Amino acid sequence: MLRAPRGTGDVLPSESRKWICLEKVLREISFKYNFEEIRTPVFEHTELFSRTVGESTDIVEKEMYTFEDKGGRSLTLRPEGTAPVARAFLEHSLGQGPLPQKLFYIGPMFRYEKPQAGRYREFHQYGAEILGSPSPYSDVEIIALAVDIAESLGLTGTKLVINSIGCPVCRERYRGDLIKYLSARSDAVCEDCRKRLSKNPLRVLDCKNVSCKAVTSGAPSMLDYLCEDCQKHWEGLRELLLRMGLSYEVDTSLVRGLDYYTKTVFELKWPPLGAQDAVAGGGRYDGLVEALGGKHTPGVGFAMGLERILLAVEKGEKPFREERALDFFVIALGQETRLDGGEKASATRDERIPAAQNAAPGADDDIFRRGFFLVREIRSLGLSCDFDPLRRSLKAQMKQADRLNARYVAILGEEELEKKMVSIRSMKEGWQKEIPLESVRDFIEKEVLGRGNQC
Ligand code: AMP
């Protein structure tokens, strides 16, 4: 049997409601902050990522799903969302519109990583970007948005970790000193870090290897190298966070894996998740749009891993209700329905599918058609409604209505049809009423509507 590729997964019907609810919360909060949704392609020219994320980053070196298409172009399944948003911003001259542009996205990302709990090869991110503002107020708005989302989802006790990695000018000076420091201790760092040392020494700082950590704990700190502009931004950010009541920790080893970051970098952690506890991460990227050939456009943003958020929500204070609910189930009772499945099942036939469904149209079809018409009518009122196309017995259909957690069942049998009535049963309250068919719409509008069971 063919299985889904390693590190990917299906969202089955039992899970998909959680995704819908999560996406609804994400969109509602984004609109509250006046962000608009942007959707970019799932694959882009490889160059977009190598030029922005950085040639010597893990993502570009080891994790991209890159392929040549039939026209010989090198394309890559997007490993992250910020570079595509910046590309679209430029391509569609969004910078000519009012600034800043506040954009969010929700979609799949692809990285060839070692799969483990909370780490997949296809995963989904929500991300938000503010393009065109150099102000630390925008950094704080982005951080507040991430915290607000986590809190609305019941994740109390998130930990905000921040750092500044300066700008290309002050970072260059720091880089030189860091290389000197690390080179003198290169025997004590892991093999990966020895390779990173000259190409991307900042990455050595966030290596989780114990011996590397021992070395980097004494390394010079970027915060001592910030130029005047970066220092002012850093102080402004910290002061604003405090005033907003957003407590934070400074971690000078937080550098994040992408080259395009400048000044602020941050991570939002939710410790009960264990090893993979970062639920969101982001920062400022003042040089990104320029690196893509545009005008200088400062930006700041973050991305949140949705699989990880869902894992966290399960453990948090407001797990999503998994309960599936249907407003109405219509049971049309014809001759076939009462036969309870009809002829004996053959070996190749699925026993749950009665043969009677193929019965030639007859008198019962009137009832069935009337029932089907009622289904349409109920749906047109904005309610969810289903029926049994296989025409099983009343008992089997009641069981099905129960399994679907139907709030009401409408029963239409020969007797009812003769009297032009329909029986409505409330599954929750236990009552059953006979309603004239012609006023069933009114009845539903009065008794049922406004109490809908939406997500
Ligand atoms: P990044 O784009 O690496 O800054 O990651 C931002 C967020 O995306 C992280 O905090 C995680 O929540 C999530 N994330 C990153 N990589 C993966 C992955 N391979 N699988 C699942 N979630 C991920």
Side-chain angles (χ1 to χ4, degrees), residues 89 99-101 130-135 138 284-285 289 296-300:
F89 173 88
L99 289 179
Q101 288 277 318
I130 301 181
L131 285 142
S133 164
S135 164
S138 296
R284 179 160 277 286
Y285 45 84
V289 174
H296 176 70
T297 311
V300 59

Side-chain angles (χ1 to χ4, degrees), residues 111 113 118-120 123 125 256 278-281 303-305 308:
R111 293 184 197 170
E113 293 195 89
R119 190 168 284 284
Y120 314 99
F123 59 101
Q125 281 187 337
R256 312 215 7 95
V279 289
M304 185 170 248
R308 234 175 260 185

Side-chain angles (χ1 to χ4, degrees), residues 330 332-334 360-377 387 391 412 417 437:
V330 173
L333 283 178
D364 294 328
D365 247 54
D366 267 358
I367 303 177
F368 205 71
R369 256 186 238 123
R370 191 63 200 105
F372 195 51
F373 183 73
L374 186 60
V375 170
R376 255 173 84 81
E377 200 167 9
F387 70 106
R391 307 186 186 193
L412 204 61
L417 202 66
L437 260 173

Side-chain angles (χ1 to χ4, degrees), residues 14 74 188:
S14 56
S74 177

Side-chain angles (χ1 to χ4, degrees), residues 83-122:
V85 168
R87 196 256 322 126
F89 173 88
L90 263 179
E91 189 170 333
H92 305 288
S93 309
L94 300 184
Q96 313 273 306
L99 289 179
Q101 288 277 318
K102 296 165 78 173
L103 306 166
F104 76 93
Y105 59 84
I106 300 174
M109 305 292 158
F110 306 85
R111 293 184 197 170
Y112 190 75
E113 293 195 89
K114 199 167 167 222
Q116 51 186 288
R119 190 168 284 284
Y120 314 99
R121 290 185 174 166
E122 182 190 28

Side-chain angles (χ1 to χ4, degrees), residues 286-358:
D286 289 347
L288 177 59
V289 174
E290 241 170 326
L292 292 174
K295 277 202 300 216
H296 176 70
T297 311
V300 59
F302 80 99
M304 185 170 248
L306 300 190
E307 283 80 359
R308 234 175 260 185
I309 283 281
L310 282 175
L311 283 175
V313 170
E314 292 289 280
K315 298 185 176 203
E317 288 174 7
K318 285 197 225 163
F320 289 124
R321 277 186 304 113
E322 261 171 80
E323 199 179 272
R324 177 177 175 168
L326 190 71
D327 293 317
F328 261 92
F329 191 82
V330 173
I331 299 179
L333 283 178
Q335 189 64 35
E336 289 90 4
T337 3
R338 274 181 261 113
L339 285 177
D340 208 1
E343 69 195 33
K344 233 172 132 224
S346 75
T348 50
R349 226 190 62 212
D350 185 334
E351 283 176 33
R352 289 159 309 158
I353 304 176
Q357 63 168 315
N358 294 322

Side-chain angles (χ1 to χ4, degrees), residues 38-232:
I38 182 165
R39 301 184 192 199
T40 63
V42 163
F43 57 85
E44 297 267 359
H45 291 289
T46 302
E47 199 191 341
L48 174 66
F49 302 110
S50 51
R51 253 168 63 184
T52 57
V53 173
E55 290 284 5
S56 60
T57 57
D58 279 356
I59 289 186
V60 173
E61 267 186 351
K62 310 185 213 160
E63 297 171 359
M64 293 206 303
Y65 279 92
T66 297
F67 60 97
E68 205 172 89
D69 75 359
K70 292 196 179 356
R73 302 168 196 89
S74 177
L75 299 171
T76 292
L77 297 184
R78 62 178 182 201
E80 59 98 42
T82 304
V85 168
R87 196 256 322 126
F89 173 88
L90 263 179
E91 189 170 333
H92 305 288
S93 309
L94 300 184
Q96 313 273 306
L99 289 179
Q101 288 277 318
K102 296 165 78 173
L103 306 166
F104 76 93
Y105 59 84
I106 300 174
M109 305 292 158
F110 306 85
R111 293 184 197 170
Y112 190 75
E113 293 195 89
K114 199 167 167 222
Q116 51 186 288
R119 190 168 284 284
Y120 314 99
R121 290 185 174 166
E122 182 190 28
F123 59 101
H124 295 76
Q125 281 187 337
Y126 159 87
E129 318 286 354
I130 301 181
L131 285 142
S133 164
S135 164
Y137 276 92
S138 296
D139 302 42
V140 174
E141 191 178 21
I142 279 289
I143 291 172
L145 172 60
V147 173
D148 210 358
I149 290 172
E151 282 179 0
S152 313
L153 293 168
L155 307 183
T156 45
T158 49
K159 231 172 76 185
L160 172 64
V161 185
I162 61 169
N163 189 25
S164 174
I165 56 166
C167 63
V169 179
C170 52
R171 200 184 311 153
E172 201 46 43
R173 214 161 49 85
Y174 173 63
R175 207 172 164 266
D177 283 4
L178 185 62
I179 291 176
K180 256 188 247 158
Y181 173 89
L182 293 173
S183 303
R185 293 156 183 84
S186 62
D187 289 347
V189 296
C190 71
E191 214 183 303
D192 271 353
C193 284
R194 221 165 295 142
K195 280 188 225 145
R196 283 177 187 140
L197 206 150
S198 54
K199 278 201 287 181
N200 198 348
L202 265 76
R203 282 307 311 280
V204 180
L205 295 177
D206 76 349
C207 179
K208 303 287 179 275
N209 190 301
V210 188
S211 51
C212 298
K213 277 219 162 306
V215 169
T216 53
S217 61
S221 158
M222 179 68 226
L223 295 177
D224 298 326
Y225 288 74
L226 296 179
C227 63
E228 205 184 323
D229 180 42
C230 291
Q231 180 66 25
K232 239 174 84 190

